[in-house]
Amino acid sequence: MPVESVEGEQTTFRPADSVVSADSSRPAERSRGEAVGLPWIEEADQVAPVDARELSKLFFERLRTLERGSPDHTYTRDTLIEMNLTLVHYVAGRYRNRGNGQLEDLVQVGTIGLIKAIDRFDVSRGCEFVSFAVPCILGEIKRHFRDTSWAVHVPRRLQELRGELVKAQERLASVLGREPTVKELAADLAVAEEEVLEGVVAANGYAAGSLDAPQDPGEAADTYRKGRSLADAMGAPDPAIEVFEHLHALAPLLAELDERERRIIEMRFGQEMTQAEIGTAMGLSQVHVSRLLSQTLARLRRGLRTRE
């Protein structure tokens, strides 16, 4: 095999029986290469792309004759992965400036695509492995972006529908000279109008804005508002929300009270009647009403604590 230069270093590819090394790990590698009937490659991940293409053909031919999971199969498969890592770096490098993850993350994701390509590649079909592997690697990286770039998690079906909607909107807008309607989008994509509406709503979860981001200066009416963030303009918490939460939690507990207890609670807190007025309406003394009210409120408190 020839000697190739990779990033200024010399990497030699020789038949296994010509390798002599003092490294105790290399005789095992040499014997594995001899057992499989393939050359031993000292540093498979440093193989030049031209040599990797030719060597891959040889390794794929041998791989399909080996039993899956055997040591020989593992050696051949692992060497194929290492030799073709340059494909992963090439594809991942095209997306390094997408701003969603480091290059190392994309290489890891792309390597999964490479492994899938190696396991699925059929050398008998006569096509080049590079032509088969690159779409697999690219698909895995695009899937990574699709699953991680959304600010809010939505089903994959809606993520894909969003992309189709964007393309359909641009295409129809150029033809119609205006923004397409939901009905027109549904007809163009051959889907129901409800699906289009669902996709439009789901698209709102693609990106999230920061509450600390300054307001748009173009929309500000004065200098004071221009320096304010969105959170500053949102107002104070609504106390009615807390009341609603309490009522929602109390609803099943109130349903467990008897008729008299529920009537006392309704007159006291719903109609804001005094205990004396409640007693007059129900034919009870004010002291009796006070006792019943205290007992009922204690039961409700215990029930709330138990549920919490």
Side-chain angles (χ1 to χ4, degrees):
M1 304 289 270
V3 177
E4 295 288 343
S5 176
V6 180
E7 297 181 355
E9 298 180 359
Q10 295 291 325
T11 303
T12 305
F13 311 108
R14 293 168 291 179
D17 57 1
S18 67
V19 175
V20 179
S21 173
D23 190 339
S24 60
S25 65
R26 292 184 176 179
E29 294 174 344
R30 183 173 66 249
S31 61
R32 174 59 58 201
E34 291 174 344
V36 183
L38 294 170
W40 169 54
I41 302 176
E42 184 174 348
E43 294 179 336
D45 59 339
Q46 298 295 316
V47 177
V50 174
D51 286 331
R53 178 173 299 185
E54 295 302 318
L55 286 169
S56 292
K57 295 178 182 178
L58 179 64
F59 275 72
F60 272 118
E61 288 286 353
R62 190 71 182 91
L63 184 67
R64 66 175 182 169
T65 66
L66 300 173
E67 181 182 355
R68 185 178 294 273
S70 65
D72 292 345
H73 183 277
T74 300
Y75 164 78
T76 306
R77 180 174 177 268
D78 289 349
T79 305
L80 277 168
I81 294 172
E82 293 180 21
M83 283 195 302
N84 290 281
L85 283 175
T86 52
L87 293 176
V88 177
H89 286 273
Y90 168 73
V91 177
R94 295 164 55 185
Y95 293 87
R96 64 185 307 169
N97 295 322
R98 279 284 294 267
N100 189 28
Q102 301 295 324
L103 178 61
E104 292 78 7
D105 297 331
L106 299 182
V107 169
Q108 291 184 9
V109 172
T111 302
I112 296 175
L114 173 64
I115 294 172
K116 290 180 179 179
I118 290 174
D119 291 339
R120 298 170 184 172
F121 183 65
D122 186 359
V123 69
S124 63
R125 294 187 177 181
C127 68
E128 288 285 342
F129 175 65
V130 173
S131 302
F132 181 80
V134 169
C136 293
I137 298 169
L138 182 59
E140 205 67 31
I141 291 176
K142 286 185 175 181
R143 190 175 297 111
H144 166 74
F145 282 122
R146 184 177 59 197
D147 293 342
T148 60
S149 59
W150 284 71
V152 178
H153 177 72
V154 299
R156 180 168 295 176
R157 173 181 63 86
L158 295 179
Q159 294 180 15
E160 295 173 348
L161 180 59
R162 173 189 174 273
E164 295 175 0
L165 280 172
V166 171
K167 295 176 182 178
Q169 285 174 326
E170 294 177 352
R171 182 172 60 255
L172 291 176
S174 63
V175 173
L176 301 173
R178 57 173 174 80
E179 288 296 319
T181 64
V182 171
K183 185 176 182 179
E184 290 167 340
L185 287 170
D188 184 76
L189 297 175
V191 299
E193 293 183 27
E194 291 77 9
E195 290 187 58
V196 173
L197 291 173
E198 193 177 9
V200 172
V201 172
N204 294 328
Y206 184 76
S210 173
L211 292 176
D212 295 325
Q215 291 181 294
D216 186 357
E219 298 179 358
D222 50 61
T223 306
Y224 172 70
R225 287 188 59 193
K226 290 181 180 179
R228 303 177 68 196
S229 67
L230 181 60
D232 295 330
M234 292 186 66
D238 188 350
I241 295 178
E242 186 175 357
V243 174
F244 174 81
E245 292 177 347
H246 291 166
L247 291 175
H248 182 73
L250 279 172
L253 298 175
L254 291 172
E256 297 174 0
L257 300 178
D258 59 34
E259 181 64 27
R260 186 174 65 172
E261 291 170 334
R262 280 199 299 270
R263 188 180 176 191
I264 291 174
I265 292 293
E266 195 278 330
M267 287 191 292
R268 180 70 183 91
F269 298 100
Q271 302 178 27
E272 297 184 351
M273 296 172 61
T274 65
Q275 293 181 3
E277 291 172 338
I278 295 173
T280 301
M282 299 186 66
L284 302 172
S285 67
Q286 186 269 333
V287 175
H288 195 184
V289 171
S290 178
R291 186 183 304 114
L292 290 174
L293 186 59
S294 298
Q295 292 174 353
T296 303
L297 292 176
R299 285 178 54 190
L300 294 175
R301 292 191 189 97
R302 286 196 300 270
L304 284 176
R305 286 196 294 267
T306 301
R307 291 177 181 273
E308 289 175 357

